[in-house]
Amino acid sequence: MAFSSTSKLPTFIVFFIFLGSTLTVSADFNNEFDITWGDGRGKILNGELLTLSLDKSSGSGFESRNEYLFGKIDMQLKLVPGNSAGTVTAYYLSSKGSNWDEIDFEFLGNLSGDPYILHTNVFSQGKGNREQQFYLWFDPTADFHTYSILWNPQRIIFSVDGTPIREFKNAESIGVPFPKNQPMRIHSSLWNADDWATRGGLVKTDWSQAPFTASYRNFQADACVVSSGKSSCGGSATSGDNQAWLSEELDNTKQERLRWVQKNYMIYNYCSDSKRFPQGFPPECKMA
């Protein structure tokens, strides 16, 4: 599949991508994140740019110093260019323990000229298996693009350059656990997964292309920070203009964008995989 140029996108998508790719204020990476593994392969440069590298010996990763319980989180990423087959760049929120919650972006590398696969998943109380996968409508290695997670008590929305690609609604009313009680840190890693990442493991990592490098910039978090068991949002988390995201939902225009992405760029949806769920789809699949 060849990448589509923005000239072929509907006008509203082009306009929204232009707005969504601009961030005016970014946090200092030195204050927000720690490189957690990789023996020097992860680097923070001038507080404004973070890079992760992978070679045959090791990958690398980082995590946020803060823990969050609900938030609107943006990060700009530029993915591994060229032949990235076998590599995975993971960017996600996760709590700890055996019944953890997690909200995942994973970028599965591919051969030069073939598109990345954007893999998404949501875990609640240790249960995942809620995969949706997408191609992107641009080359994610040519420039930085904004990948966002909106997480509030009603829904989780995954967005790319401001365009929603997935919504996971709170379905506790029909017995589906929802991530709402466990604070989560932001994590990211670049690692070798050539046993499964590209064409089910058929295409292996070409180590002659190493080191592989992914870059990060313009981190923003409008979020409830949890420290010593207390939330920065206090007891009135649903009030105030600065916390409008806590009750944010998709308006008609964003719902139209979501349908456009899912119609044209979704390549896997667990809610459509009848072979995987012969006894019936998971209950949340019934929620439009």
Side-chain angles (χ1 to χ4, degrees):
M1 173 180 173
F3 295 110
S4 299
S5 69
T6 53
S7 63
K8 297 179 181 179
L9 297 179
T11 302
F12 67 78
I13 292 287
V14 176
F15 179 69
F16 199 70
I17 287 173
F18 177 77
L19 292 179
S21 62
T22 302
L23 292 174
T24 56
V25 179
S26 58
D28 188 323
F29 278 107
N30 288 307
N31 297 330
E32 299 290 340
F33 296 99
D34 291 314
I35 306 294
T36 49
W37 63 285
D39 194 23
R41 292 173 179 80
K43 298 177 181 178
I44 297 176
L45 307 173
N46 299 320
E48 297 178 355
L49 181 71
L50 189 154
T51 61
L52 295 180
S53 291
L54 164 69
D55 58 34
K56 198 167 186 177
S57 298
S58 178
S60 49
F62 66 85
E63 73 174 20
S64 64
R65 294 182 176 180
N66 288 326
E67 289 185 296
Y68 305 97
L69 187 60
F70 306 126
K72 188 174 185 179
I73 295 167
D74 299 329
M75 182 80 83
Q76 289 193 328
L77 280 74
K78 183 163 68 170
L79 300 179
V80 174
N83 182 2
S84 58
T87 71
V88 172
T89 305
Y91 171 63
Y92 59 101
L93 287 162
S94 182
S95 63
K96 298 177 180 179
S98 58
N99 293 314
W100 78 101
D101 296 336
E102 187 170 317
I103 304 169
D104 287 344
F105 278 115
E106 289 188 302
F107 302 89
L108 312 185
N110 215 330
L111 296 168
S112 298
D114 290 342
Y116 263 80
I117 292 174
L118 172 51
H119 175 101
T120 66
N121 205 349
V122 176
F123 289 75
S124 50
Q125 297 182 15
K127 181 184 181 300
N129 300 322
R130 301 184 177 105
E131 301 90 348
Q132 289 184 359
Q133 295 183 336
F134 306 84
Y135 289 140
L136 294 166
W137 50 93
F138 53 84
D139 179 354
T141 73
D143 202 352
F144 286 89
H145 292 269
T146 304
Y147 302 90
S148 306
I149 294 169
L150 171 67
W151 170 36
N152 65 31
Q154 297 83 39
R155 57 188 46 82
I156 296 164
I157 300 171
F158 297 78
S159 298
V160 177
D161 286 339
T163 298
I165 64 168
R166 177 176 186 177
E167 180 179 26
F168 182 81
K169 295 180 180 179
N170 185 328
E172 289 179 304
S173 62
I174 55 174
V176 180
F178 185 82
K180 68 172 188 178
N181 297 315
Q182 301 187 66
M184 296 197 265
R185 294 186 192 274
I186 300 165
H187 300 260
S188 190
S189 58
L190 174 57
W191 52 291
N192 177 44
D194 67 3
D195 57 333
W196 65 271
T198 306
R199 294 183 60 196
L202 293 177
V203 182
K204 301 300 183 181
T205 303
D206 180 0
W207 293 111
S208 71
Q209 303 297 311
F212 304 97
T213 301
S215 302
Y216 304 73
R217 72 179 187 187
N218 285 346
F219 166 71
Q220 286 189 319
D222 296 325
C224 300
V225 176
V226 175
S227 179
S228 301
K230 295 183 179 179
S231 172
S232 61
C233 293
S236 57
T238 57
S239 63
D241 292 340
N242 292 335
Q243 296 167 357
W245 52 265
L246 266 165
S247 57
E248 186 174 332
E249 58 187 58
L250 295 176
D251 59 20
N252 290 336
T253 301
K254 288 187 176 180
Q255 287 179 13
E256 183 180 355
R257 295 187 184 111
L258 176 66
R259 288 191 293 269
W260 177 83
V261 171
Q262 295 193 342
K263 177 182 177 181
N264 292 284
Y265 292 95
M266 178 184 281
I267 58 172
Y268 179 79
N269 181 5
Y270 76 108
C271 284
S272 301
D273 192 343
S274 57
K275 291 183 179 179
R276 184 178 176 187
F277 301 105
Q279 304 304 317
F281 293 116
E284 68 269 17
C285 294
K286 300 174 184 177
M287 300 183 68

